[in-house]
Amino acid sequence: MDADELRQRVRQFLATHDPATTQRLTFLRARFDAGLAWISFPEGLGGLDAPRALQSIVDGEFAAAGAPDNDPLRIAIGLGMAAPTILRHGTDAQRHRYLRPLWTGEEVWCQLFSEPGAGSDLAALATRAVEDGDCWIVNGQKVWTSMAHAARFAILLARTDPDLPKHAGLTYFICDMHAPGVEVRPLRQITGEAEFNEVFLTDVRLPDSLRLGAVGEGWQVARTTLMNERVAIGGGAVPRESGMIGVVAGTWRDRPDLRTPAQLDTLMRLWVAAEAARLGAQRLREQLAAGQPGAEGSAAKYAYARLNAEISGFELEFLGAEGLRYEDYPMRRPSIVDWKQRPPGYRYLRAKGNAIEGGTSEILANIIAERVLGLPAEPRTDVTVPWKDLPR
Amino acid sequence: MTLLYSDVEEELRFSVRQLLAARAPHAAILRRMETDQPYDTALWRSLAADVGCAGFAVPEKFGGAGASWREVATVAEEFGRAVAPVPYLGAAMATAALLAAGDEDLLPAVAAGQTTAVLVLPFATPPGAPPPVTLTGVADALAADILLVPAQDALWAVEARDAGLTPVGSLDLTRPLADVALDDPPRRRIGDLRPALDAAYTTGAVLLASEQLGVAQWCLDTTVEYLKTRHQFGRPVGSFQALKHRLAELWVAITQARAVARYAAGCLADDDPDLPVAVALAQAHCGPVAVRAAEECVQLHGGIGFTWEYPAHLYLKRAKADAIALGTAERHRAALAALVGLDA
Ligand SMILES: Cc1cc2nc3c(=O)[nH]c(=O)nc-3n(C[C@H](O)[C@H](O)[C@H](O)COP(=O)(O)OP(=O)(O)OC[C@H]3O[C@@H](n4cnc5c(N)ncnc54)[C@H](O)[C@@H]3O)c2cc1C
């Protein structure tokens, strides 16, 4: 499947589904069924087994035709994490049940991984799932769960065997967020609003058909999720100045009254760093498309976390007195994270989360050092003992 | 435009790396540095003529290989990686000047690697500088057969033996500088100065970025290998997180430098309209990365890194000299600001 063939397919599709007259959801479902959703997925599951690198061509054609999209920011966790995991580790029945409404946005997903006692050390988590006939009974507490208040389903990591070492006793589930015993409470965050939540799971019954992968293989399944999370956070082909740097460069161009010579060099340092990161991510995508190996996805996420923090911090200082204003603290429940539409203060504060969510920058540095550079791991005492005997 | 290497480039890299390992090991470079033959002209002839480095970017009608500057940039990475004492950079800048001037007399011999022409330009010339008045601190002139000299709005070819070349005590002994004095020597006009100088400068800046990438990569690779084996406190030093994080960060910067250097080489090869931005970006990013890599290399080797015998200092000196060569990062940031519409 090459670019021309794909363009042809999109045009054929548009000829029979006029975006102007087709109802949004009907349009999206039909696009999925035509294999033009995520083209690298298999046929019958929204794709055409086509190279992932060509996705931007398809998206571009649809956008140019004024077609509705699936509001990717709103369903980022589903698209970036749940979907690749279900595709790789799910049963046929699970793939057919969940992937289509996930992609169309009819069902929003969230990620029930982190817990009060298990963040960076995710494998230490304590939420228990106990087998009961053909069901699992789940008890525990999750935290920092983004968009749980909007979610229909969750990817859930739980402990099924506390007698095994921590990585071995985990199992991966799909959690029905409407099941009795699932309680979502808002957690107000640094920006004043509550994107994320704590989620209490009390005697939640999940049928065994919601298990993803084998019992005890939860850690392997979770690694698929985490790798994709980092690629998703760092990735996406973008033109120059389309990230946070574009916003600040725009402010600079609009506000000659605020400029100082020293600030120009600071801005240019950031501009250079942003452009280098952009080209670095572009090269990474080329490598992935060419099938060249890469635990390197972590690099893009690591770079963007720092850049976003520095650029948004610069933006506030550049604005000076205006940077002191912030009128956006009242508690709200957003359904997307869209820093472009929000004030500079929000950008500065929200960017702090970039270095924490999806693996902290410290953890990513560990991953790069060990998996990419091959440096020896620090001596560890926690990987061979049974989970229940770990100090906590 | 791809930011990856082609198979041809990978093969080229391999053969150049092998040749450099055989002919210019660090011990040999260290010995040569303090002799009166600091450049290895025999090695350069092999690279230029036998491997064909001198002619990659020259069209076939001038006796070149009709490939592109992209291939030359890949080789420049290897020259950096080996801190090779060869005059490739001055020679490439001269080749670019000759191509821009459309000079057909010198190009065939230059492309064949029989004659080494070197552009006479103070090595520290920043972007956008006017043509030089004094010809001091010139790189690679000591290894030249022919000097291309800017004077009175034109570029002139002068036999190196007809010019007065005074070696300069140099920070980087693997690329020693010279002051050039001319006492009305016989000369031949090559062409108008500005286009030739601009082409030479741009080409030099692109290749220098690839060289800086090679320097940085050697420093990272060598440091990582050392820290895997060096034990202190009963464990490999490389298992200490304080060091792992520094190296991870350096790796990220080098990964980006590779993309940036490849982008600049691609823009030069394709004559892309974004070339001026790509060049300024490459010079603003790659220079500081190479310096950081070399400084980390010295520091993380401990006492060994501070010795004359261990090659870390060759890379530090090369990296620092390269960061000043053709303008510091700050000068390139200023140039970039104007190019992308960010005014003071
Ligand atoms: C905005 C936001 C959204 C989030 N959304 C979700 C979500 O939807 N679902 C979900 O499951 N989780 C989510 N998280 C949670 C996130 O994944 C965790 O916060 C993160 O993994 C860190 O865990 P922690 O908060 O427990 O910090 P800790 O792990 O306690 O870390 C504390 C500090 O110690 C450092 N540290 C820890 N271990 C090491 C080590 N080995 N070496 C060096 N430094 C170390 C960390 O880098 C950090 O600086 C979200 C977080 C944020 C901020």
Side-chain angles (χ1 to χ4, degrees):
Chain A
M1 182 86 36
D2 62 18
D4 286 340
E5 224 176 316
L6 277 169
R7 281 197 192 92
Q8 191 57 34
R9 286 217 186 204
V10 176
R11 289 196 193 124
Q12 275 166 6
F13 179 86
L14 288 167
T16 49
H17 300 83
D18 182 355
T21 56
T22 315
Q23 195 253 337
R24 177 174 179 274
L25 208 50
T26 313
F27 185 91
L28 290 174
R29 286 177 182 161
R31 179 176 163 186
F32 185 93
D33 294 338
L36 295 168
W38 31 36
I39 56 165
S40 58
F41 274 47
E43 288 187 38
L45 292 172
L48 296 166
D49 289 306
R52 190 172 169 167
L54 300 178
Q55 181 72 39
S56 59
I57 291 177
V58 172
D59 293 344
E61 291 281 314
F62 277 109
D69 70 11
N70 58 352
D71 205 354
L73 283 180
R74 195 176 69 96
I75 55 173
I77 293 172
L79 292 175
M81 292 183 257
T85 311
I86 293 169
L87 178 67
R88 170 110 183 256
H89 299 281
T91 62
D92 264 342
Q94 288 168 335
R95 292 179 186 147
H96 282 103
R97 162 62 187 86
Y98 296 111
L99 289 177
R100 189 173 183 250
L102 183 160
W103 187 84
T104 60
E106 288 162 78
E107 291 172 352
V108 175
W109 286 67
C110 68
Q111 179 194 25
L112 292 172
F113 277 23
S114 304
E115 298 182 4
S120 300
D121 186 10
L122 179 61
L125 60 84
T127 292
R128 286 281 277 127
V130 178
E131 206 165 4
D132 180 34
D134 56 3
C135 269
W136 295 84
I137 299 177
V138 183
N139 279 287
Q141 184 195 343
K142 297 290 178 175
V143 73
W144 325 127
T145 318
S146 305
M147 303 299 160
H149 51 287
R152 179 66 190 84
F153 289 104
I155 44 178
L156 164 70
L157 202 53
R159 185 158 307 281
T160 42
D161 190 344
D163 295 323
L164 291 174
K166 61 183 180 182
H167 294 92
L170 299 171
T171 303
Y172 200 115
F173 297 93
I174 293 168
C175 181
D176 179 352
M177 294 297 285
H178 291 177
V182 178
E183 190 198 341
V184 177
R185 293 186 202 157
L187 270 179
R188 208 171 165 201
Q189 67 203 35
I190 202 166
T191 53
E193 65 206 343
E195 260 168 57
F196 57 27
N197 304 273
E198 38 186 2
V199 177
F200 295 85
L201 303 165
T202 312
D203 291 332
V204 178
R205 293 184 76 83
L206 300 178
D208 191 52
S209 61
L210 289 179
R211 176 168 48 79
L212 209 56
V215 175
E217 305 236 311
W219 186 248
Q220 286 80 327
V221 182
R223 280 181 69 158
T224 302
T225 310
L226 297 176
M227 297 264 290
N228 279 290
E229 175 172 30
R230 283 157 206 162
V231 172
I233 290 175
V238 290
R240 179 174 291 162
E241 282 196 13
S242 54
M244 194 84 84
I245 193 68
V247 175
V248 182
T251 310
W252 181 277
R253 291 185 185 109
D254 291 345
R255 298 295 303 270
D257 56 313
L258 297 176
R259 297 175 197 163
T260 68
Q263 276 178 324
L264 179 59
D265 193 53
T266 308
L267 174 66
M268 290 316 297
R269 278 175 196 275
L270 296 170
W271 199 95
V272 166
E275 184 61 5
R278 186 185 74 89
L279 289 170
Q282 185 170 317
R283 187 166 193 278
L284 172 69
R285 271 191 303 281
E286 274 194 65
Q287 279 181 301
L288 292 175
Q292 293 176 17
E296 284 88 350
S298 302
K301 202 258 175 191
Y302 180 86
Y304 275 107
R306 158 147 338 152
L307 265 177
N308 287 348
E310 288 182 356
I311 295 171
S312 59
F314 171 78
E315 187 185 16
L316 276 194
E317 289 184 27
F318 178 60
L319 288 170
E322 289 164 49
L324 292 175
R325 293 167 178 266
Y326 196 98
E327 281 147 29
D328 212 17
Y329 279 131
M331 163 71 177
R332 281 184 290 131
R333 294 290 262 167
S335 63
I336 57 167
V337 179
D338 188 356
W339 46 260
K340 272 196 185 159
Q341 309 303 326
R342 306 287 296 273
Y346 171 86
R347 275 193 282 281
Y348 172 67
L349 296 171
R350 184 60 186 83
K352 292 281 160 277
N354 294 160
I356 302 170
E357 61 198 332
T360 67
S361 292
E362 289 77 16
I363 294 300
L364 294 185
N366 287 348
I367 290 175
I368 292 168
E370 289 173 22
R371 297 207 205 126
V372 181
L373 297 177
L375 288 166
E378 301 231 28
R380 286 180 69 167
T381 53
D382 62 328
V383 282
T384 48
V385 275
W387 175 80
K388 63 176 167 45
D389 300 333
L390 287 173
R392 55 176 68 82
Chain B
M1 180 195 308
T2 176
L3 300 178
L4 304 181
Y5 300 98
S6 69
D7 291 343
V8 172
E9 287 177 286
E10 292 293 5
E11 281 165 33
L12 198 57
R13 174 200 299 291
F14 182 75
S15 49
V16 169
R17 189 176 292 188
Q18 279 198 316
L19 186 69
L20 291 173
R23 300 266 298 272
H26 291 127
I29 295 175
L30 277 168
R31 273 196 306 278
R32 174 178 294 284
M33 274 178 359
E34 292 183 285
T35 68
D36 57 3
Q37 297 284 319
Y39 285 94
D40 190 341
T41 44
L43 172 62
W44 172 237
R45 288 234 184 276
S46 302
L47 287 158
D50 304 343
V51 181
C53 297
F56 288 148
V58 178
E60 282 163 10
K61 63 174 174 178
F62 299 130
S68 77
W69 290 112
R70 210 185 248 115
E71 286 76 13
V72 184
T74 303
V75 174
E77 285 180 34
E78 293 307 308
F79 291 155
R81 195 184 170 86
V83 282
V86 294
Y88 91 92
L89 189 59
M93 291 173 74
T95 306
L98 291 170
L99 283 167
D103 180 273
E104 299 176 21
D105 294 335
L106 259 176
L107 266 178
V110 164
Q114 289 156 359
T115 298
T116 299
V118 164
L119 181 79
V120 175
L121 184 72
F123 203 32
T125 302
V133 181
T134 49
L135 304 176
T136 50
V138 177
D140 295 340
L142 292 171
D145 304 313
I146 304 277
L147 299 173
L148 299 188
V149 185
Q152 300 118 24
D153 293 333
L155 192 64
W156 308 82
V158 172
E159 293 279 345
R161 61 171 177 269
D162 294 337
L165 288 178
T166 311
V168 175
S170 302
L171 174 65
D172 175 11
L173 291 174
T174 65
R175 185 184 273 144
L177 308 178
D179 293 341
V180 179
L182 299 168
D183 187 12
D184 200 16
R187 62 185 193 177
R188 186 172 69 78
R189 191 176 191 277
I190 298 292
D192 290 344
L193 183 57
R194 202 68 255 188
L197 215 49
D198 287 347
Y201 186 89
T202 300
T203 303
V206 167
L207 298 178
L208 187 62
S210 285
E211 174 180 314
Q212 287 163 329
L213 168 62
V215 167
Q217 188 72 55
W218 183 89
C219 292
L220 176 66
D221 292 351
T222 306
T223 306
V224 165
E225 283 317 307
Y226 182 71
L227 294 185
K228 281 183 193 172
T229 50
R230 170 72 180 168
H231 279 64
Q232 290 290 279
F233 301 96
R235 54 194 262 211
V237 175
S239 67
F240 287 98
Q241 196 180 52
L243 305 193
K244 285 158 87 166
H245 282 195
R246 279 159 72 166
L247 292 171
E249 186 160 345
L250 185 57
W251 177 83
V252 171
I254 292 175
T255 307
Q256 295 173 348
R258 174 162 284 105
V260 164
R262 282 278 90 190
Y263 181 64
C267 284
L268 180 61
D270 301 351
D271 204 13
D272 192 289
D274 201 33
L275 178 61
V277 171
V279 169
L281 174 72
Q283 276 303 306
H285 183 73
C286 297
V289 171
V291 171
R292 179 141 63 93
E295 289 178 349
E296 290 289 49
C297 182
V298 170
Q299 173 64 18
L300 299 185
H301 275 78
I304 285 178
F306 195 68
T307 62
W308 188 263
E309 189 183 345
Y310 194 77
H313 68 103
L314 301 181
Y315 291 85
L316 179 66
K317 293 163 186 172
R318 174 65 74 91
K320 198 66 185 170
D322 279 1
I324 298 167
L326 303 183
T328 57
E330 183 264 326
R331 301 295 286 260
H332 286 279
R333 286 195 294 271
L336 194 53
L339 289 168
V340 301
L342 292 167
D343 306 317

